[in-house]
Amino acid sequence: MSKDNYGLDPEHATANHAVRHADAQGRVDPVQELTPDFNQPAAAATWLRTTTAVRERAAQLLARARSGESAWFTIGDAAALDGAAQTVADVTRERYPSGRIPFHSRWRHFEAGGVDRLAELDRLLGDKVTPRERARVQIDLVLVSVLLDAGAGPDWHYVESASGQRFTRSEGLGVASFHAFTSGLFSSDPARPLQADAAGLRALVTDRLAQAFQLSDVNPLVGIAGRAMLLRRLGEALAEQPEVFGQEGRPGRLFDALVGPYGPAIPPTAEVQAHELLSLLLSSLSRIWPAANAVDSLALDGSDAPGGIPMGSGDPAFALGDCWRHGAVHGPGLTNGWMPFHKLSQWLTYSLLEPIEGAGVKVRGLDALTGLPEYRNGGLLIDSGVIVPRDAASLERSWKVSDEFIVEWRALTVALLDELAPRVRTLLGRSAEELPLACVLEGGTWAAGRVLAQRLRDGAPPLRIESDGTVF
């Protein structure tokens, strides 16, 4: 055997790092063979879709801010972090005096106003539905609802006809999406309204979604066109991947993809890893995100700004979604400069825990997921003096999601939530096993962020971010 066996041509060098470094006899170093080559888009994209990448890069930016090198932020001292933890612990005790804290997920919003909408969904499904089909329906519902869950803005509300209650923000979006789903808005089959499928989503008209969410001139919802577009793109992605989503293209078929190795009967020992679920979501749904963020595609000026002339393949497998450029983030090959978050995908993963476990499959490794870098968690840290903008005027202007100021604020939020969680557990006398991050968020940081925002600004977050309805 020699290098000729690999077909090496000096005029056309191979991209395989291990083969390029084969010896004269064609022997490949097994260590190099197993080491990802981050100069290749597939390897770079795969790594940037891990929560290890999210945490490592968030930690880079936190360490930099603590050493005074950030142009945007300083970090408060331990007393500020302890104060934030105390606020979170107090809010948690008030919200869950029994100490039984559920996961942070979309299902909490379906419970808004004290209405058990999951029981309502079960009633609509009837007695004969199988546990597997119930899980599929719940996943259909929650996946579409999460994708509609970017911030509603301060001026929108939804009135639930059955209860007469008025809901705003995340609760309003959750309740509105629940009733849109049960009305059959996302199904192409009138005989099966309680599903979302590729044909129904691809045919979704913005005006119909607006009507379901009660939009009007005096009741505006931020980013309604972007939300409708995202669902149509979801429909395309479902149709293009029957091996994951079935011939009808249902989000609920994710359940079958996860538990397929166990066969038609789910044994009591069935389990999946939380990150396995997130990875499946990111790999199968990466193509739906409208942001032109691809690991092999930058504007010619090196930015990701809309209107830039893209370079790269356009392959949806390389799309990164909620992953943004920051000049101080460093890493190998094509991963250099990218700060990943995957906020909506992780929010969706948290929200899929209950349907999956309700069908008898245990989800392990919950703390592999990160805290969610959004208005409430990140707002809590600003309002508690943990994250301090260098320029107070930063809180008065509007920002784009891609602006480095926002990217860094979100990264600091991820890293600091990991430091906040053990402090909250200590105050509540709970272990990490008893109170995983998913429960700290629910207890928790998200609600405390809202409490402080209500106290300081009548509910408005501390930062102003231009939203198209697909990230925040």
Side-chain angles (χ1 to χ4, degrees):
M1 178 179 285
S2 72
K3 286 193 176 185
D4 292 337
N5 290 91
Y6 292 107
L8 295 182
D9 179 349
E11 302 297 323
H12 301 88
T14 177
N16 187 303
H17 178 74
V19 172
R20 285 204 311 270
H21 292 83
D23 64 19
Q25 286 71 47
R27 289 189 292 264
V28 171
D29 182 347
V31 174
Q32 289 193 10
E33 192 171 22
L34 295 174
T35 300
D37 182 358
F38 292 125
N39 290 311
Q40 300 305 308
T46 297
W47 190 76
L48 287 169
R49 291 176 184 150
T50 67
T51 53
T52 298
V54 177
R55 280 194 163 98
E56 284 186 4
R57 300 201 164 189
Q60 283 183 25
L61 292 180
L62 177 57
R64 181 172 171 271
R66 279 194 164 130
S67 67
E69 298 174 56
S70 170
W72 305 109
F73 300 100
T74 60
I75 304 300
D77 59 14
L81 199 57
D82 289 340
Q86 187 65 61
T87 299
V88 173
D90 292 344
V91 169
T92 300
R93 290 190 187 99
E94 182 178 346
R95 297 183 73 225
Y96 295 103
S98 70
R100 293 191 297 272
I101 304 167
F103 296 140
H104 186 55
S105 82
R106 191 57 157 166
W107 296 96
R108 307 290 78 76
H109 297 151
F110 295 146
E111 299 164 354
V115 178
D116 189 348
R117 295 179 186 83
L118 179 57
E120 181 181 343
L121 181 62
D122 285 340
R123 179 183 61 78
L124 293 170
L125 285 170
D127 299 334
K128 297 181 181 179
V129 67
T130 66
R132 189 177 287 244
E133 178 59 19
R134 178 177 285 106
R136 291 188 195 116
V137 170
Q138 290 177 0
I139 292 171
D140 282 352
L141 162 62
V142 80
L143 193 148
V144 170
S145 184
V146 164
L147 293 183
L148 290 167
D149 191 38
D155 302 317
W156 176 81
H157 66 271
Y158 178 84
V159 177
E160 185 178 37
S161 59
S163 68
Q165 296 187 76
R166 182 182 187 273
F167 300 101
T168 61
R169 298 192 180 271
S170 291
E171 288 83 356
L173 293 170
V175 174
S177 61
F178 176 87
H179 290 295
F181 178 84
T182 57
S183 74
L185 180 61
F186 310 116
S187 173
S188 65
D189 185 352
R192 299 177 64 87
L194 298 178
Q195 67 178 35
D197 58 60
L201 292 164
R202 284 188 294 181
L204 182 65
V205 178
T206 301
D207 286 350
R208 287 197 65 199
L209 185 65
Q211 183 179 19
F213 279 66
Q214 301 177 353
L215 266 69
S216 69
D217 291 341
V218 295
N219 191 33
L221 175 65
V222 171
I224 186 65
R227 296 169 204 264
M229 178 186 65
L230 192 62
L231 293 188
R232 289 193 291 269
R233 293 172 72 114
L234 171 64
E236 295 289 345
L238 299 176
E240 291 168 0
Q241 300 173 90
E243 71 280 6
V244 178
F245 300 107
Q247 292 302 316
E248 71 270 58
R250 284 183 60 187
R253 289 290 176 181
L254 283 166
F255 182 81
D256 301 89
L258 284 167
V259 304
Y262 290 108
I266 303 170
T269 55
E271 63 181 50
V272 297
Q273 293 292 317
H275 203 286
E276 178 185 356
L277 175 54
L278 175 62
S279 296
L280 179 59
L281 291 171
L282 289 172
S283 62
S284 60
L285 300 182
S286 62
R287 66 196 70 193
I288 76 173
W289 304 110
N293 293 349
V295 74
D296 68 337
S297 180
L298 296 177
L300 290 178
D301 63 358
S303 74
D304 300 296
I309 302 172
M311 302 170 61
S313 64
D315 188 333
F318 304 150
L320 297 176
D322 187 15
C323 186
W324 308 91
R325 304 293 289 177
H326 192 295
V329 171
H330 302 299
L334 293 172
T335 73
N336 190 57
W338 288 108
M339 180 61 232
F341 298 107
H342 312 303
K343 175 254 179 179
L344 275 179
S345 296
Q346 293 204 73
W347 174 228
L348 177 55
T349 304
Y350 282 124
S351 299
L352 293 181
L353 300 178
E354 286 159 88
I356 291 171
E357 293 200 332
V361 179
K362 182 65 179 176
V363 182
R364 304 284 186 188
L366 299 186
D367 278 355
L369 305 178
T370 76
L372 303 178
E374 40 72 67
Y375 284 124
R376 297 309 184 195
N377 290 323
L380 164 71
L381 295 169
I382 288 179
D383 288 337
S384 300
V386 178
I387 298 176
V388 183
R390 286 190 178 277
D391 184 355
S394 301
L395 303 179
E396 304 301 325
R397 56 159 289 186
S398 292
W399 298 92
K400 298 191 293 293
V401 175
S402 58
D403 286 335
E404 189 171 279
F405 177 89
I406 297 299
V407 175
E408 185 164 328
W409 163 65
R410 297 181 72 200
L412 297 175
T413 296
V414 169
L416 287 163
L417 286 172
D418 279 343
E419 295 187 8
L420 191 65
R423 286 170 161 84
V424 173
R425 294 183 188 115
T426 297
L427 290 169
L428 296 176
R430 308 289 287 277
S431 67
E433 291 72 26
E434 294 169 324
L435 199 68
L437 183 58
C439 297
V440 175
L441 296 174
E442 173 58 28
T445 57
W446 191 89
R450 173 178 277 186
V451 166
L452 292 183
Q454 188 65 42
R455 185 183 303 162
L456 296 171
R457 292 173 302 276
D458 197 27
L463 297 177
R464 300 175 185 174
I465 303 174
E466 299 171 11
S467 174
D468 65 357
T470 64
V471 176
F472 284 96

